[in-house]
Amino acid sequence: KLAMASEVGELLNHSEAVAIFAVWQAREHMGPADRVALLEPMIKNDTLYRSVRNAAAWVVMDAKAELGDSAGGAATLQEIILRNGSAE
């Protein structure tokens, strides 16, 4: 049990992975409007890992589609492409 606890502790020490898992938890356990309110500000937060911002953006894009906001979903998708498609 101690070895398993040690492994879990090690995994939970990876902040990027924990943040992405938290985004997934928001997707699984929150309604679409709450997901957008929680995660949308994180998409543009340059202090977060890009992978975390990308995960948040995917969840926001899906939530906006669930809310019938296809234009908002498309804008979020465009932001993902522009942020990740840059040669810089």
Side-chain angles (χ1 to χ4, degrees):
K1 289 183 182 182
L2 286 176
M4 184 186 337
S6 178
E7 286 181 38
V8 169
E10 187 65 32
L11 290 171
L12 290 174
N13 198 34
H14 296 286
S15 58
E16 185 176 7
V18 170
I20 291 170
F21 182 71
V23 170
W24 179 259
Q25 289 298 297
R27 182 184 184 279
E28 290 295 300
H29 300 289
M30 298 175 76
D34 290 334
R35 292 193 308 262
V36 171
L38 175 72
L39 298 173
E40 194 165 41
M42 295 179 195
I43 296 171
K44 296 181 185 192
N45 184 337
D46 290 334
T47 65
L48 297 175
Y49 291 106
R50 180 180 287 193
S51 60
V52 175
R53 294 191 325 258
N54 286 337
W58 284 116
V59 172
V60 167
M61 183 184 73
D62 288 343
K64 286 183 176 184
E66 287 180 53
L67 293 168
D69 181 6
S70 60
T76 304
L77 177 59
Q78 181 181 40
E79 189 171 341
I80 293 169
I81 294 167
L82 292 172
R83 178 177 48 248
N84 292 281
S86 173
E88 295 179 5

